[in-house]
Amino acid sequence: MITRRRFLSGAAASAVLAGALPRLARAAAPAALTVTTRSLDVGGRAATVFGITRPDGGLHAVAGGDFRVRLTNALNEPTLVHWHGLTPPWRQDGVPGVTQDPLPAGAGFDYDFPLARPGTNWMHSHLGLQEQGLLAAPLIVADPAEAGLDEQEVVLMLHDFSFRDPAEIMAGLRGGQGTAGMDHSGHAMGSMQPMPGMKHDMPGMAMPGGMAMDLNDVEYDAYLANDRTLADPEVVRVERGGRVRLRIINGAAATNFHIDLGAAEGTLIAVDGMPVAPVAGRRFPIAVAQRLDIRLTVPAGRALPVLALREGDRQRTGLVLAAPGAAVANIADLGEDKAAPLDLALEAQLQATEPLAARAVDRTIPVVLAGDMASYVWTLNGKVHGQDSPLMVRQGERVAIAMTNPSMMAHPMHLHGHHFQVVAIDGKALSGARRDTVLVPPGKTVTVAFDADNPGRWSFHCHHLYHMESGMMTTVEYEGIG
């Protein structure tokens, strides 16, 4: 993690993944990003994971400028990076088979498009299961209008981590199924036996109407905050005044969290990089792929843990914000009580400060999010990706997508290339947050609306990595796109 002031002073040169922030500008050459590998110490064990690196530390852009990046693949396998939260031309969106071909080992690609909006975003692989190997990094687009604010920016990126090969995790989830499932490309996968550590037969939680809700279908070895566990958390010394803007990114593959500020009260000011009417609180939900911007003040002489609690369980991770000279106590990686499942209570309260312009919806597309743990096949409108029919739209339309979840697991649904607005929950209209990822819990219907103003073929999928890889993906396709 680095702070805004530490970056500006040049102290960020050694930062690699967790919140590194160099500036992009129109220059003779694009910024250089390299996909490579790196080493972590997790619980006293060495682990080799992926990384997205830059010679001077990472990637930070400014709204109103241009995103000019040369991405180079230094791995010994193909890869490709998606710019999550940005709205590039569709051929620069970084999704294999939809917008671009994967980059072979040693190859590079130049990205160049304007950045219209500031916000907390991130970048990650969209190829196979590479994201589980921590092939992800923050991507912060600063607001030039906020350059003079007297606050310290702290980026907190969350991951779920396993020493197992992600293919073994997927094999365990598919184990015991009666018929073959589908991989991300729609190819048949053979039936396999469950792997140790998998929650294939999971205890459920009672939902309205008798539905059993499943939580956390993968058991991980660790939960990371800026690549570290609570055995050795990052301690960020806050500057005089203690005013902090937390930019929190849930980069986990399959884990939802609650952000717990303990005794401190924070103010939520943005979700998924888009501003919302301020909401004060001490605990905020964050589903897979979502982001939260929270302002808070660390009292003089105090240390403030910022914890991420795994939903439905006791595991937690986080970092510590500490005033100068404040003592930092040890923090257990297990809380006393299990955190609740994420729900839509906060979502129903959020209000966009930059809502969509008032106009009628031209097209409503119903989408059913289905599947089950027994077969581990997850579908949109009854089809796995590769057998699906695109969701067709026409440029200039106001489009609504009504997502209904009859399954027993929550699905964080992400639309590429657009920011939608949450306009109804279970049929009750609201002027909710603008986002790019929204959680649809079991038994719920969430309706979002967006303006079809970025022509192309755009991925629309569950951001739970193993649900997506098991079929829960389709495309939103503009009429006339070849």
Side-chain angles (χ1 to χ4, degrees), residues 12 18 29 46 71 86 91 175 204 282 290 301 372 385 450 481:
L71 181 70
L86 303 189
R91 288 294 190 183
R282 291 181 170 84
Q290 290 183 334
D372 61 73
H385 186 50
F450 67 95
I481 291 294

Side-chain angles (χ1 to χ4, degrees), residues 136-298:
L139 201 176
I140 309 303
V141 181
D143 186 345
E146 296 181 342
L149 289 181
D150 184 19
E151 64 181 10
Q152 184 174 349
E153 290 195 356
V154 177
V155 177
L156 170 57
M157 190 162 194
L158 303 169
H159 285 296
D160 40 25
F161 173 83
S162 177
F163 285 103
R164 287 170 292 155
D165 188 304
E168 294 182 359
I169 297 176
M170 178 61 85
L173 290 167
R174 287 189 168 121
Q177 65 186 31
T179 59
M182 295 289 174
D183 70 9
H184 183 57
S185 300
H187 300 115
M189 302 293 295
S191 177
M192 304 187 74
Q193 294 302 309
M195 302 295 295
M198 304 310 303
K199 277 192 174 181
H200 194 73
D201 296 311
M202 295 174 52
M205 300 192 68
M207 297 294 293
M211 176 182 290
M213 179 181 184
D214 282 334
L215 299 171
N216 302 317
D217 51 357
V218 180
E219 285 298 312
Y220 286 96
D221 294 305
Y223 297 89
L224 307 180
N226 292 350
D227 292 343
R228 299 165 77 162
T229 69
L230 285 175
D232 179 30
E234 181 170 22
V235 177
V236 180
R237 292 292 173 179
V238 301
E239 301 168 11
R240 186 173 61 183
R243 289 178 290 273
V244 172
R245 178 179 184 148
L246 277 170
R247 295 183 181 269
I248 305 173
I249 303 165
N250 187 355
T255 305
N256 298 324
F257 296 96
H258 297 268
I259 300 302
D260 186 0
L261 304 179
E265 183 172 89
T267 301
L268 179 66
I269 59 171
V271 296
D272 295 358
M274 302 294 286
V276 295
V279 177
R282 291 181 170 84
R283 184 174 289 196
F284 300 92
I286 184 167
V288 172
Q290 290 183 334
R291 288 87 69 209
L292 303 175
D293 284 32
I294 300 173
R295 283 195 169 115
L296 55 84
T297 299
V298 179

Side-chain angles (χ1 to χ4, degrees), residues 125-480:
S125 173
H126 226 291
L127 182 62
L129 300 171
Q130 288 179 339
E131 186 187 330
Q132 181 69 87
L134 309 196
L135 208 167
L139 201 176
I140 309 303
V141 181
D143 186 345
E146 296 181 342
L149 289 181
D150 184 19
E151 64 181 10
Q152 184 174 349
E153 290 195 356
V154 177
V155 177
L156 170 57
M157 190 162 194
L158 303 169
H159 285 296
D160 40 25
F161 173 83
S162 177
F163 285 103
R164 287 170 292 155
D165 188 304
E168 294 182 359
I169 297 176
M170 178 61 85
L173 290 167
R174 287 189 168 121
Q177 65 186 31
T179 59
M182 295 289 174
D183 70 9
H184 183 57
S185 300
H187 300 115
M189 302 293 295
S191 177
M192 304 187 74
Q193 294 302 309
M195 302 295 295
M198 304 310 303
K199 277 192 174 181
H200 194 73
D201 296 311
M202 295 174 52
M205 300 192 68
M207 297 294 293
M211 176 182 290
M213 179 181 184
D214 282 334
L215 299 171
N216 302 317
D217 51 357
V218 180
E219 285 298 312
Y220 286 96
D221 294 305
Y223 297 89
L224 307 180
N226 292 350
D227 292 343
R228 299 165 77 162
T229 69
L230 285 175
D232 179 30
E234 181 170 22
V235 177
V236 180
R237 292 292 173 179
V238 301
E239 301 168 11
R240 186 173 61 183
R243 289 178 290 273
V244 172
R245 178 179 184 148
L246 277 170
R247 295 183 181 269
I248 305 173
I249 303 165
N250 187 355
T255 305
N256 298 324
F257 296 96
H258 297 268
I259 300 302
D260 186 0
L261 304 179
E265 183 172 89
T267 301
L268 179 66
I269 59 171
V271 296
D272 295 358
M274 302 294 286
V276 295
V279 177
R282 291 181 170 84
R283 184 174 289 196
F284 300 92
I286 184 167
V288 172
Q290 290 183 334
R291 288 87 69 209
L292 303 175
D293 284 32
I294 300 173
R295 283 195 169 115
L296 55 84
T297 299
V298 179
R302 294 278 303 277
L304 173 65
V306 176
L307 300 178
L309 317 178
R310 182 194 191 205
E311 73 164 340
D313 223 319
R314 297 171 56 205
Q315 293 97 331
R316 59 190 184 181
T317 188
L319 53 69
V320 180
L321 303 174
V328 178
N330 292 332
I331 305 171
D333 61 4
L334 290 178
E336 294 184 2
D337 301 311
K338 291 183 177 181
L342 267 63
D343 59 25
L344 295 176
L346 177 63
E347 198 68 60
Q349 183 182 354
L350 294 177
Q351 293 182 308
T353 59
E354 299 175 4
L356 293 175
R359 62 173 285 190
V361 170
D362 300 298
R363 185 190 305 242
T364 299
I365 304 174
V367 176
V368 177
L369 320 177
D372 61 73
M373 287 296 297
S375 65
Y376 217 79
V377 174
W378 300 92
T379 61
L380 295 177
N381 287 341
K383 301 291 185 180
V384 296
H385 186 50
Q387 302 176 2
D388 57 301
S389 298
L391 309 181
M392 301 303 299
V393 302
R394 184 179 296 115
Q395 186 171 358
E397 287 184 324
R398 170 69 55 83
V399 179
I401 302 178
M403 297 169 283
T404 300
N405 182 8
S407 81
M408 69 296 196
M409 291 201 75
H411 301 294
M413 298 302 298
H414 172 48
L415 174 62
H416 290 219
H418 304 77
H419 290 93
F420 52 67
Q421 184 170 6
V422 179
V423 295
I425 295 176
D426 290 337
K428 182 179 179 180
L430 69 155
S431 181
R434 293 189 70 185
R435 288 187 170 277
D436 56 56
T437 307
V438 68
L439 187 71
V440 186
K444 308 298 285 185
T445 296
V446 176
T447 303
V448 301
F450 67 95
D451 288 331
D453 56 7
N454 195 6
R457 184 177 297 115
W458 299 100
S459 295
F460 174 61
H461 62 91
C462 178
H463 220 287
H464 184 301
L465 180 61
Y466 300 97
H467 293 180
M468 181 180 72
E469 287 295 303
S470 296
M472 193 170 260
M473 176 172 168
T474 188
T475 53
V476 170
E477 184 171 326
Y478 283 63
E479 294 178 4

